Amino acid sequence: MKTALVTGGAGFIGSATVRRLLAGGYRVVTLDKLTYASTQATLVDVAGDPRHLFLHRDICDAEAVAAVLRQHRPDMVFHLAAETHVDRSLDSSAPFIQSNIVGTWTLLEQCRAYWQGLDAPAAAAFRVIVVSTDEVYGELGSTGTFTPDSPYRPRSPYSASKAASDHLARAWHASYGLPVIVTNCSNNYGPYQFPEKLIPLMILRALRGETLPVYGDGGQVRDWLHVADHAEALVQVAERGRPGATYLIGGQCERSNLEVVEAICDILDRDASPLDKPRRALIRFVADRPGHDRRYAIDISQITAELGWRPAVTFTDGLAATIDWYRKNEDWWRPLVERHNALARVGLS
């Protein structure tokens, strides 16, 4: 049985990756600092699985990371521990620099030391998957897509910190031979996403009949990727991807923010308790976020050609299922909303 180490495994994409690995027969060690956006409640459905071990650790703690690697001897590492909310990075960039840059450097160094101590077959099979974002490429015009060769043009503290993380990963491959693979994904959605992000934020506010704040004119376009599709892609990259390569993972589903919010309203009007007016009437256009990128889109031809991966969940089905999940799992999201005031806007700097 192979062992996978997942940093940030109690978070949104991390927990989906943990579940996919366990379903695929892996033993999984989850390492998570448990920041405001992660909670062990996200892993409650796998808490009793004897193949899963949760460790409360900080990836910036080099000794702790080294001890985990020595003791559990993973065959692969999925690095998903990160600060991810652009709005929060505008208000306070320090946590993003610490987690996304210092944390990645710490992990890479400890993985290098661990990998160099493996026997030849184990070293040849070892992989480190550094999971990143399409936001490192900046914004697109009305046409075109990001490719693995697109130049980096980060425009927020968050995307700049992830760009630095990507560059560190590639440098550790080029300089030391560490078998690192970088992935850059489009906007994820699905169950267990912290309620500050667009889709869960709008679902929960619309359920409660609260105003739905849409930045600017709502015309910002994103490529939406269901988190289960993303987790599947990450496992395929770890199993069959080329060390040193970059794989872009997208949903092939471009929607403007306004279109997403309107779709949420329409599904809730159809399936949830009615309000005294259509939920679209709750939409309010508010001041845009500083430096808000206008459009992202991803070319997935490389990962499709090399690994055969393509998204399986349509946005129509995935969004309806996501809304249904939040309606049925108030016991997961309500404590987070109340503890962290997660439905309030930040990032007004």
Side-chain angles (χ1 to χ4, degrees):
M1 184 182 296
K2 289 187 176 181
T3 297
L5 172 64
V6 181
T7 73
F12 170 46
I13 302 172
S15 64
T17 305
V18 168
R19 285 187 284 274
R20 168 58 182 84
L21 287 163
L22 289 170
Y26 286 86
R27 176 176 178 266
V28 181
V29 178
T30 292
L31 187 154
D32 202 293
K33 184 181 178 181
L34 295 179
T35 64
Y36 77 94
S38 57
T39 169
Q40 284 187 262
T42 302
L43 294 167
V44 66
D45 55 338
V46 300
D49 193 320
R51 299 169 301 151
H52 178 244
L53 175 66
F54 175 84
L55 299 173
H56 186 192
R57 303 286 190 274
D58 183 350
I59 58 166
C60 293
D61 185 338
E63 292 185 5
V65 173
V68 170
L69 291 167
R70 285 194 307 268
Q71 181 176 355
H72 298 286
R73 303 189 63 79
D75 301 282
M76 57 188 66
V77 176
F78 294 85
H79 178 39
L80 291 121
E83 293 288 338
T84 66
H85 193 38
V86 175
D87 288 16
R88 287 182 182 269
S89 80
L90 296 171
D91 283 347
S92 179
S93 59
F96 292 77
I97 303 304
Q98 186 68 17
S99 178
N100 300 354
I101 301 178
V102 176
T104 298
W105 168 75
T106 302
L107 181 71
L108 289 169
E109 274 292 86
Q110 300 312 311
C111 284
R112 178 168 73 98
Y114 166 73
W115 169 69
Q116 289 174 335
L118 296 174
D119 61 32
F126 184 65
R127 297 289 183 271
V128 179
I129 314 303
V130 173
V131 180
S132 188
T133 171
D134 58 0
E135 297 192 33
V136 299
Y137 300 118
E139 65 178 357
L140 289 165
S142 59
T143 61
T145 56
F146 297 133
T147 73
D149 297 321
S150 294
Y152 273 44
R153 296 191 180 98
R155 287 161 40 90
S156 71
Y158 161 63
S159 58
S161 69
K162 290 298 288 184
S165 172
D166 293 2
H167 291 320
L168 287 170
R170 294 191 182 100
W172 259 242
H173 173 74
S175 297
Y176 305 112
L178 185 67
V180 177
I181 303 173
V182 175
T183 64
N184 298 87
C185 70
S186 59
N187 280 40
N188 280 228
Y189 72 100
Y192 296 108
Q193 189 171 30
F194 189 76
E196 68 189 355
K197 298 299 179 74
L198 177 68
I199 286 180
L201 174 69
M202 294 299 163
I203 292 171
L204 300 187
R205 291 185 69 97
L207 279 171
R208 296 147 63 113
E210 299 176 358
T211 59
L212 306 177
V214 175
Y215 291 173
D217 62 0
Q220 302 86 0
V221 174
R222 300 295 183 261
D223 174 15
W224 291 96
L225 171 68
H226 194 277
V227 69
D229 279 336
H230 189 188
E232 176 63 32
L234 293 178
V235 174
Q236 290 194 29
V237 166
E239 291 177 342
R240 298 185 289 119
R242 292 179 291 110
T246 297
Y247 294 97
L248 269 56
I249 304 170
Q252 298 288 276
C253 176
E254 292 186 48
R255 297 286 190 282
S256 71
N257 286 349
L258 182 58
E259 287 175 319
V260 170
V261 176
E262 289 175 339
I264 291 169
C265 291
D266 295 346
I267 292 170
L268 286 174
D269 283 345
R270 182 191 70 200
D271 296 341
S273 299
L275 303 178
D276 59 359
K277 56 187 174 183
R279 285 177 167 85
R280 287 194 183 202
L282 301 171
I283 295 173
R284 299 289 185 274
F285 296 100
V286 300
D288 206 351
R289 181 170 70 203
H292 201 173
D293 293 336
R294 190 67 177 174
R295 175 174 171 265
Y296 305 142
I298 276 184
D299 178 354
I300 65 167
S301 59
Q302 178 173 317
I303 190 172
T304 299
E306 290 191 23
L307 307 181
W309 178 89
R310 63 178 62 254
V313 182
T314 68
F315 187 70
T316 299
D317 292 344
L319 183 62
T322 299
I323 291 172
D324 187 58
W325 186 89
Y326 278 94
R327 289 178 60 202
K328 294 177 178 177
N329 288 274
E330 185 173 349
D331 58 338
W332 180 83
W333 58 257
R334 181 169 292 281
L336 298 176
V337 168
E338 294 176 347
R339 188 179 310 132
H340 302 292
N341 195 21
L343 302 187
R345 181 177 181 182
V346 296
L348 297 172
S349 300

